[in-house]
Amino acid sequence: MSDSVSRGRGSADGSTGANGRNADPLGRIRPRGVVPTGRWTGMAALALLPVGLGVLLRHPPLLLVGALGVAFAAYARGDSAPDIDVTIERDLSDPTPDPGEEVTVTLRVRNEGDGVLPDLRLVDGVPAALATDAPARLGTALRPGRTATVSYRVTAIRGVHEWDPVHVLARNPSGSRERDARMDAGGATTLRCTPELEASASLPLRGLTTVYSGRVPTDVGGSGIEFHSTREYRHGDPAKRVNWARYARSGELSTLEFREERAATVVVCIDAREEAYLAPDAESPNAVERSVEAASQAVPALLDSGDRVGVAAFGPGDCRLDPGVGDDHAARARELLATHPALAPTPTDERFLPTTWVRRFRRWLPADAQVLFCTPLPDDYAATVARRLDAYGHAVTVISPDSTADDTPGHRLAGIERANRLSRLRSAGIRVIDWGEESLATELERAAARWSR
């Protein structure tokens, strides 16, 4: 499946790239400092040809052209690269936008030196996760004391996005040599986008509960709403639970038992491995983004119901929030989902050992915790983790964003493999929500109706 859908990794240096992302591959391969451009390589030898022909044919104009070429080649060879004495300022129209808002980025460069910069080029270090509406680059000539400006817009998405240093190139007048540098820009360098947590439809939880009152029906008789059974009356039972109808018929006292409703402890776990950064096409959000969206709806819905909620990421980095309740806990969950590096919109290069992660996750997971596993099921290991956690007694529910496509045979094969994983999980007794293009609330309501039959 991994080779049949688009990855959420950027690919362009300052311009919009694959999946609307940007990257700076040029910065990884170009040497820094003074670099010969190679533009006039071989020009001296080429200029000697008309000189020789001019001497041989005794043709003065041809001889003059050759002499000019040799002179220019000598000039280009001796021409040095200019010093880069500039200051760069960056300004963001809104450093804390909401998701989807467009932010105008203005980059200003000022020549602080005494000489003219005849060929100055800049490429801004746009964060890899942000898409731009135009190339974030500038090419200009700049006299001493003058300022040049370039503006572009980025579309805000969840996370903390730090701009990389600006890639600066300054060439000499002949274009034979250039000075290559990375320079930090003054002003705003960070864009922080923290979406609000919005509850969707109530999540249908499984029967694993805590001792605290909540909304999850149990098989234990006691106080509640749904009728469970009747038992012999005991001294001290409340009068409202006495079966007065039976007392009227037979004169015997009995007490009504209702199905107790208790709270649950739920850990929302997001598959954030590199394998999970999948999207059906370049313009769609990847599966990790959709999983974070699902968690952002599930966490407030569970907290509103009185359940204890924790958050974790199945991926590189130690991303865990212990189960808790309350407004402060909701704020911490919101901050983690929005800004934790392990849940970044693009994958990291950090090494990840899934077996070690599972072992540590089990030690951290409370014994009475259910797991809401958000994963696109990109491989068999994700399904194995779900089955293993469920076998250890943690009731697992899988929310699986569908990131497959059907435009090529490879994509269709990846879709079939994912469907088989979903089927095997259901056969193992694990609840699975196959989240397609409809809203998550619609999928949850549909699943709740199916599971209640």
Side-chain angles (χ1 to χ4, degrees):
M1 182 174 178
S2 60
D3 59 345
S4 56
V5 292
S6 303
R7 294 285 182 187
R9 191 189 290 275
S11 63
D13 55 339
S15 59
T16 302
N19 202 17
R21 310 294 191 249
N22 301 298
D24 183 22
L26 189 63
R28 301 190 184 95
I29 59 176
R30 282 188 62 88
R32 302 183 185 182
V34 178
V35 182
T37 63
R39 176 179 295 181
W40 306 113
T41 301
M43 181 178 180
L46 186 64
L48 289 175
L49 179 61
V51 171
L53 291 175
V55 171
L56 184 63
L57 302 176
R58 295 182 181 180
H59 193 275
L62 198 58
L63 184 62
L64 178 60
V65 170
L68 290 175
V70 171
F72 184 81
Y75 166 72
R77 186 177 183 82
D79 195 10
S80 60
D83 293 329
I84 301 177
D85 188 5
V86 299
T87 57
I88 303 174
E89 293 286 336
R90 184 187 296 113
D91 178 66
L92 305 181
S93 61
D94 183 2
T96 56
D98 292 328
E101 286 189 353
E102 289 193 337
V103 177
T104 301
V105 183
T106 304
L107 194 69
R108 300 182 182 85
V109 54
R110 176 182 172 85
N111 186 355
E112 303 288 356
D114 298 328
V116 176
L117 295 173
D119 188 351
L120 179 66
R121 306 181 186 197
L122 294 90
V123 179
D124 203 1
V126 182
L130 298 181
T132 63
D133 68 330
R137 59 180 65 180
L138 171 68
T140 184
L142 205 59
R143 288 184 292 176
R146 301 300 295 269
T147 300
T149 302
V150 62
S151 296
Y152 59 92
R153 289 180 295 180
V154 297
T155 302
I157 63 172
R158 175 192 59 83
V160 176
H161 309 283
E162 188 81 21
W163 261 256
D164 292 331
V166 181
H167 186 186
V168 182
L169 279 175
R171 287 182 176 173
N172 56 18
S174 65
S176 62
R177 295 178 186 277
E178 63 187 16
R179 192 176 296 277
D180 188 304
R182 308 292 189 276
M183 301 184 67
D184 292 327
T189 59
T190 304
L191 185 147
R192 190 180 187 87
C193 179
T194 308
E196 296 289 340
L197 297 182
E198 298 181 359
S200 65
S202 179
L203 284 168
L205 295 178
R206 298 177 66 180
L208 185 61
T209 60
T210 66
V211 297
Y212 303 102
S213 298
R215 65 176 178 94
V216 182
T218 67
D219 293 331
V220 179
S223 60
I225 299 176
E226 184 181 353
F227 175 75
H228 178 264
S229 60
T230 59
R231 62 169 171 78
E232 185 179 353
Y233 175 80
R234 298 171 189 160
H235 180 70
D237 284 346
K240 64 181 180 180
R241 289 176 54 189
V242 172
N243 190 348
W244 295 111
R246 181 177 180 183
Y247 179 75
R249 290 195 305 270
S250 62
E252 297 179 359
L253 282 174
S254 60
T255 302
L256 297 174
E257 290 279 277
F258 298 92
R259 195 179 298 277
E260 281 198 352
E261 295 181 343
R262 296 180 179 175
T265 297
V266 184
V267 171
V268 181
C269 182
I270 298 170
D271 189 349
R273 298 171 297 154
E274 184 176 2
E275 292 83 352
Y277 282 84
L278 304 172
D281 54 64
E283 303 300 326
S284 300
N286 60 53
V288 175
E289 281 293 288
R290 298 188 69 194
S291 294
V292 173
E293 179 186 351
S296 300
Q297 298 181 35
V299 169
L302 293 167
L303 290 175
D304 291 345
S305 303
D307 300 310
R308 294 167 52 82
V309 184
V311 181
F314 176 41
D318 188 13
C319 177
R320 292 173 192 168
L321 177 66
D322 293 334
V325 295
D327 294 339
D328 292 342
H329 187 73
R332 287 193 290 272
R334 174 181 178 235
E335 184 73 12
L336 182 143
L337 291 172
T339 63
H340 198 285
L343 301 176
T346 53
T348 67
D349 296 328
E350 190 175 344
R351 187 182 179 192
F352 178 58
L353 301 175
T355 305
T356 304
W357 180 92
V358 172
R359 189 165 56 249
R360 292 177 177 174
F361 183 69
R362 279 197 56 212
R363 286 201 295 264
W364 170 78
L365 198 63
D368 58 356
Q370 302 188 30
V371 176
L372 191 63
F373 191 25
C374 302
T375 173
L377 293 172
D379 51 24
D380 290 338
Y381 197 80
T384 300
V385 169
R387 287 199 301 270
R388 188 175 299 176
L389 292 175
D390 196 73
Y392 287 139
H394 303 286
V396 175
T397 301
V398 174
I399 296 180
S400 182
D402 186 1
S403 299
T404 60
D406 60 356
D407 53 342
T408 67
H411 289 179
R412 287 191 285 274
L413 177 60
I416 293 172
E417 291 176 345
R418 176 178 173 274
N420 290 337
R421 294 183 192 110
L422 294 175
S423 178
R424 287 197 293 270
L425 286 177
R426 290 183 174 121
S427 300
I430 296 176
R431 288 180 172 180
V432 178
I433 298 173
D434 185 6
W435 184 16
E437 296 181 353
E438 296 191 63
S439 69
L440 181 59
T442 302
E443 295 288 357
L444 289 174
E445 291 177 0
R446 189 175 299 161
R450 185 169 61 249
W451 294 335
S452 63
R453 292 172 190 165

